[in-house]
Each structure stands twice: as C-alpha cells, then as structure tokens.
Amino acid sequence: LWNPAALSRMGCKEVGLHSNTGLGGVTQEIAIVGMPLGEVKEECDGGSLGGLAASLGYVDYGSFNGRNANGVATGNYGGTSDFNGSLGYGKEVLPGLSGGVTLKGDHSRYSSNGYSSFAADLGVLWTVIPNVDLGLVYSNINLGDKVGGAQLNEGWRVGAGWHAARHWLLAASGELQTKSLNRLQMGTEYLIGNLESKYNVLALRAGYVVNYPDPQLTGLSGMTFGLGYTITKSM
C-alpha cells in the first residue's frame, strides 16, 4: 500500500478490486494487480527478479453548491473527480534488505478547472531480526506540476511489524508529513484456524490512530476494527 520495497516478497499473482461509498455522494473505485518477476524462490518469498504492481483509481466527489464571489448561490455543479494511476517495483538487494520505487500520476477536476501532478515514492524494507521487519518510505517526491499552486504533500513514513507468534502480528507506524496531519498508528492481527492448510482461516484485526496536533481527532474516533477470511489458498 505505501512501501514499494514489499513488492520484492510477492509469491504469487494478486488482484484487488475495491469500491467505497462515503457521505455526501463520494464514491471511490480502485483496481490493483501485482505479480512476482522471475522464478519464485519459495512460497511467499518473492521472485528472483523482484515484484511489480500497478493500480488505477477513480474518485467522484458528488455535487456541490455553487456560489459567486459575493456568496450568492449560482446552482449546483458536479464533475469534481480524481483519476490516478501508479506503477511500482521492488527487489531484494541484499539478504534481508529490499528496495523499491513507485511512480504515480493524478489528474483532478474541480468544476471547469483541472490539475495534474506526478510523484514518486522510495522505500526500503529490512528484516532486522527473524520475525521483525522495519520499513522506511519517503513519499510524494514531486516530479511534475503543482496542484492548485501548492506543492504536493511530501513526507516520511516509518513502520515496524513483529510476529510475536505464528498466529499473532503486532504493528506500528508513524507519518511526518509537510502539509497534513502527522499520525501515529498501532495495530494487531490474530489468525484463527489451521495455517498449514491455508484455508478456513479467520483474521481478527484492531487498531488505533493518533492524529496530532488536532485535538478533535482523539478518543474513540481513532479506533478501527476489521475481519478477514481465507476461503481457499487463492481467495
């Protein structure tokens, strides 16, 4: 999702289709495909030539109340949307150390105005000790136009994952962004079922995000919960 170096560990082809519907008529559609390159060394251990992934996304923000410079209503308008795409590659460069890069573009429309931008993400993924991974990414390196006269939101992301047991994962990450909220995120996943068979496995997930310095985004608003279920080895 945010560290292209992890593509080095893809063990098989994957396809993701996501559809989100939000408040105010906002809809989002995303399609993602990824695959290992070269010979797969071991299951879930990546391809000998790394891994490649691509995504296409679309967001429709619905309609808005139009007003002129004096604040007088001029009727509703729509057509406010985002189109975006990305291409990422990751490869193990040293035993336990992988690097990756993502190139991405975005075109936004606001009424009759359009803005395009192009950026890159650079990431590394390091197995510090067995069962502990550390990731570091610098995201949104500006490669092209400005968006509405403002620079893209560049910044650092760092995260760590620890398999405390075969069934139990603990994770934490942080974001230091130039033009948005900084975040501290913590999460856990617990798997129930026979992991050897790789089917009929239930995943229980929970997390908490701290957004600062905004005090309104605190308390229970930072809680997240999720479920996952493995039906077969490939679904």
Side-chain angles (χ1 to χ4, degrees):
L1 176 66
W2 58 265
N3 190 347
L7 294 172
S8 65
R9 300 185 180 181
M10 292 199 69
C12 57
K13 295 178 182 178
E14 295 186 19
V15 175
L17 301 174
H18 306 266
S19 181
N20 301 311
T21 301
L23 299 175
V26 178
T27 58
Q28 181 183 40
E29 312 294 341
I30 305 172
I32 306 170
V33 61
M35 67 186 71
L37 300 177
E39 182 182 355
V40 176
K41 295 169 284 186
E42 295 179 18
E43 190 173 4
C44 298
D45 197 25
S48 59
L49 300 178
L52 185 71
S55 72
L56 288 174
Y58 171 73
V59 182
D60 185 341
Y61 293 100
S63 62
F64 294 85
N65 295 325
R67 296 183 180 276
N68 62 19
N70 297 320
V72 178
T74 59
N76 295 345
Y77 68 93
T80 303
S81 59
D82 279 332
F83 289 92
N84 57 75
S86 69
L87 181 66
Y89 174 75
K91 188 178 187 304
E92 187 177 55
V93 293
L94 292 172
L97 179 65
S98 299
V101 59
T102 298
L103 302 177
K104 53 191 181 181
D106 181 272
H107 181 75
S108 302
R109 290 202 60 83
Y110 301 96
S111 186
S112 59
N113 300 315
Y115 306 96
S116 295
S117 62
F118 302 92
D121 298 342
L122 297 177
V124 294
L125 184 62
W126 177 34
T127 301
V128 184
I129 58 175
N131 299 327
V132 176
D133 290 313
L134 179 66
L136 179 67
V137 174
Y138 193 81
S139 58
N140 289 335
I141 301 170
N142 194 353
L143 301 179
D145 299 341
K146 298 179 181 180
V147 180
Q151 292 285 348
L152 289 171
N153 178 36
E154 296 187 26
W156 292 96
R157 295 183 178 185
V158 61
W162 173 38
H163 277 93
R166 190 154 183 247
H167 289 253
W168 186 25
L169 172 68
L170 296 171
S173 67
E175 299 179 31
L176 293 175
Q177 307 289 327
T178 57
K179 297 182 181 296
S180 72
L181 290 172
N182 296 321
R183 294 184 176 91
L184 178 64
Q185 299 156 316
M186 298 156 284
T188 185
E189 177 186 71
Y190 189 80
L191 302 178
I192 300 173
N194 186 351
L195 301 188
E196 297 290 345
S197 65
K198 290 185 170 48
Y199 64 88
N200 290 338
V201 178
L202 175 66
L204 305 178
R205 303 182 181 116
Y208 190 80
V209 56
V210 179
N211 297 284
Y212 55 93
D214 193 334
Q216 298 182 16
L217 299 176
T218 58
L220 294 178
S221 63
M223 293 292 296
T224 60
F225 298 95
L227 293 172
Y229 190 70
T230 302
I231 301 173
T232 68
K233 289 184 178 182
S234 61
M235 183 177 296

